[in-house]
Each structure stands twice: as structure tokens, then as C-alpha cells.
Amino acid sequence: QGEELGLSQVEIGFDDLKDPEAIANWPLTLNRDGARTPLPWCAVSPGLGFSSGKPWLPLGDDHAALTISAQDSDPESMLAFTRTLVALRNDSDALLLGAMRVIEASDQMLVFDRSVPGETMLCVFNLGEAPVRWAPAEPARWQIVAQVGTVDDWALGRFSGYVARTIDQ
């Protein structure tokens, strides 16, 4: 809950912690409570539409701009991208059932493919601040079918990614 909106990890003070593991290991570990904050539905509603009362965990300071109502009709939003990826996955046997092969996994890049006979999907993500160029072998064989962030001629801007499908199968 929250990844589909691009929600950040919320800083939770010790007095607001609910997670027993986080309480026991304070301040040595990043607690899970920061990723379990209320889902923000509407920026103009009390409690961002989650509740008019005090929620179990605090809302994030930056979550008002990331509410479902703010992203629902924005074709460039994280919510729209998530919906695109879910639909793509549901329509692709390779993404649903295919064998996975990790091509690169580093601090900067995550690249893997999923394949079944007749279909291969390539997933390329720049996880870093710096732009990077990552082209598949034989780029002409691939068509980008989804992307997030800046992707131009196989060059990825910071925190960008794409999913490509082979076009010769």
C-alpha cells in the first residue's frame, strides 16, 4: 500500500511507533511503520480522506500531493503508471508466468527479462541519480511498451525505467 502512489517512507518518532520490532531495536533499524501510514485519498479532506479522527500512524508531510484524487486523472502519475504495468502484466504470459533472468543488479541498475516460448519482456530500471544508457543487445529487436521517467533512445534519466517486448517473435 502506497507504492502505487509513490509515497515516501514517513519519519515516525519513537512515541508514535506501533511496530514491536522497531520499538525493541530503536534507533538501530528503519521501522516498518513509516511504510504503513494511512493511504491518502483526497487532499482537500480531513486526514487526506483516510479518517477524520487521529489515524493509527501519522500521515506523511508530502502525501497530500500524492493522493489518489490528485493522481487519478493524471496520465503521467505514478498511479497511472502502476495501472499500466498491472494491465501489461495481466496481458503478458512472459510477465505472468515466464522464467526470470537477472541481467544486471547493482546500486545503479536493475535489469531482468521474463520469457515464455514466443514472448520475452525486458525490464530495465535506473535506480540512481545519474542518467545512464542501457540498450539491449540488438536494440532493433525490441519495442518499449511502458516507461516511467525520462527514456530517450535507450538512455534513462535518473530514477527512470522501461519495459520492452521483442518484436520479432
Side-chain angles (χ1 to χ4, degrees), residues 38-55 59 64 67:
L39 189 67
W41 291 90
C42 180
V44 297
S45 297
L48 300 181
F50 182 81
S51 172
S52 59
K54 182 179 181 198
L59 295 158
T67 61

Side-chain angles (χ1 to χ4, degrees), residues 63-147:
H63 291 184
L66 300 171
T67 61
I68 293 169
S69 64
Q71 295 191 45
D72 195 38
S73 61
D74 178 1
E76 301 297 317
S77 70
M78 180 60 76
L79 180 58
F81 182 64
T82 300
R83 289 173 174 159
T84 297
L85 291 181
V86 170
L88 183 62
R89 182 176 186 269
N90 288 338
D91 291 340
S92 167
D93 287 343
L95 291 176
L96 277 172
L97 307 168
M100 181 174 168
R101 177 177 63 112
V102 176
I103 299 166
E104 182 176 342
S106 67
D107 289 345
Q108 177 85 21
M109 295 294 298
L110 174 60
V111 181
F112 61 91
D113 66 19
R114 305 267 322 252
S115 61
V116 295
E119 181 184 38
T120 299
M121 301 292 277
L122 177 67
C123 304
V124 180
F125 303 98
N126 176 4
L127 307 174
E129 292 273 352
V132 59
R133 181 170 175 77
W134 198 100
E138 302 179 63
R141 290 185 54 218
W142 298 91
Q143 176 185 18
I144 294 175
V145 294
Q147 68 183 57

